[in-house]
């Protein structure tokens, strides 16, 4: 069972998940990064370019805090592109002694999700790095369907500058981020019963076939099966 709530840390969501099925799970790319707890260990979910398949046959619980696109690298102290499509242990990123203390605090908390949230709040206070307004503008513009070149012009950046900043913040270039955000806009419409052809038109795909190709490429499933699995 999956549940989530808004975090006390701005622009973050706290979630818990205890798988109930025997098959592998499927985590869709969303432009975000997560700090994770599982079986007493701390891990980081880097930005995904394709669906991440989780192991099946286990009912052990997970907890996480999901950060708004572009905000995790400053808090974690690692450029996003170094974590792309990875699930490293936090000990691979931070000093071992610091991770041992953090892990002990999370494991001693009333629940791991609250412990993770407290850890993220402490880390944010220590780094004291304010969110980059440029990155928020990039996410908002691309999520609204504006072209990458137009977004770069609005910010007074060259295409190369925007790409470089996006790699550090999001883990990939703005075109990949735009594809992922468009996927989620399309899924939101399709889940509400909007016909696939209309969904494609309203979210900027060339046609329904283009939508189908993008869904399969990013998630590994046809749109119809994906909606059943992630309805």
């Amino acid at each position: 069972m999956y549940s989530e709530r808004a975090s006390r840390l701005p622009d973050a969501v706290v979630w818990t998940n205890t798988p109930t099925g025997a098959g592998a799970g499927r985590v869709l790319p969303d432009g975000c990064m997560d700090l994770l707890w599982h079986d007493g260990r701390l891990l980081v979910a880097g930005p995904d370019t394709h669906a991440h398949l989780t192991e099946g046959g286990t009912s052990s619980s997970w907890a996480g805090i999901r950060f708004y696109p572009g905000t995790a690298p400053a808090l974690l102290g690692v450029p996003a592109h170094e974590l792309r499509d990875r699930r490293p242990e936090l000990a691979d990123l931070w000093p071992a002694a610091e991770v041992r203390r953090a892990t002990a605090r999370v494991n001693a908390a009333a629940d791991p999700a609250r412990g993770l949230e407290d850890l993220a709040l402490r880390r944010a206070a220590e780094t004291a790095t304010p969110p980059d307004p440029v990155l928020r503008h990039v996410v908002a513009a691309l999520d609204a369907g504006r072209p990458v070149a137009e977004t770069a012009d609005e910010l007074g950046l060259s295409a190369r500058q925007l790409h470089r900043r996006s790699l550090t913040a999001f883990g990939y270039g703005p075109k990949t981020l735009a594809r992922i955000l468009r996927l989620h806009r399309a899924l939101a419409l399709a889940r509400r019963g909007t016909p696939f052809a209309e969904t494609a038109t309203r979210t900027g795909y060339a046609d329904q076939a283009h939508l189908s190709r993008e869904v399969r490429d990013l998630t590994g499933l046809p749109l119809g099966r994906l909606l059943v699995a992630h309805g």
Side-chain angles (χ1 to χ4, degrees):
M1 176 180 293
Y2 176 87
S3 64
E4 67 176 44
R5 62 171 173 82
S7 172
R8 290 172 289 147
L9 182 70
D11 298 323
V13 171
V14 176
W15 58 267
T16 59
N17 187 33
T18 302
T20 55
R26 187 177 302 267
V27 180
L28 303 186
D30 57 7
C32 301
M33 292 171 58
D34 296 58
L35 180 61
L36 308 172
W37 173 92
H38 179 62
D39 287 342
R41 299 177 300 138
L42 298 181
L43 307 95
V44 173
D48 292 322
T49 57
H50 298 86
H52 173 77
L53 299 182
T54 61
E55 295 182 5
T58 176
S59 60
S60 57
S61 297
W62 289 79
I65 180 165
R66 180 176 302 117
F67 305 102
Y68 185 81
T71 60
L75 187 142
L76 296 174
V78 182
H81 63 82
E82 294 187 7
L83 305 176
R84 182 173 55 234
D85 294 320
R86 295 179 56 207
R87 297 293 188 277
E89 300 264 358
L90 187 61
D92 294 335
L93 311 179
W94 291 5
E98 185 176 353
V99 174
R100 282 196 299 270
R101 289 192 297 270
T103 303
R105 289 193 187 107
V106 174
N107 288 333
D111 68 88
R114 183 60 176 256
L116 279 178
E117 186 179 26
D118 290 341
L119 171 60
L121 285 164
R122 284 194 301 270
R123 181 74 176 185
E126 291 167 359
T127 57
T129 303
D132 185 346
V134 167
L135 301 178
R136 184 171 291 278
H137 183 99
V138 170
V139 176
L142 297 180
D143 197 27
R146 294 212 284 280
V148 171
E150 179 182 314
T151 301
D153 288 342
E154 290 175 354
L155 295 169
L157 299 174
S158 68
R160 181 173 297 180
Q161 288 172 324
L162 178 58
H163 186 81
R164 185 167 58 247
R165 293 178 75 159
S166 294
L167 284 178
T168 299
F170 310 121
Y172 30 64
K175 290 184 179 180
T176 298
L177 178 61
R179 289 179 67 204
I180 289 170
L181 295 175
R182 180 171 62 177
L183 167 72
H184 284 273
R185 295 198 306 275
L187 291 179
L189 282 177
R191 287 185 181 115
R192 294 199 292 267
T194 305
F196 292 172
E198 182 182 346
T199 293
T201 300
R202 290 175 59 181
T203 50
Y205 293 94
D207 50 30
Q208 184 175 336
H210 182 204
L211 167 63
S212 298
R213 288 194 301 273
E214 283 286 278
V215 169
R216 186 184 287 272
D217 185 51
L218 290 170
T219 73
L221 290 177
L223 180 54
R225 284 183 58 194
L226 182 67
L227 291 176
V228 172
H230 289 262

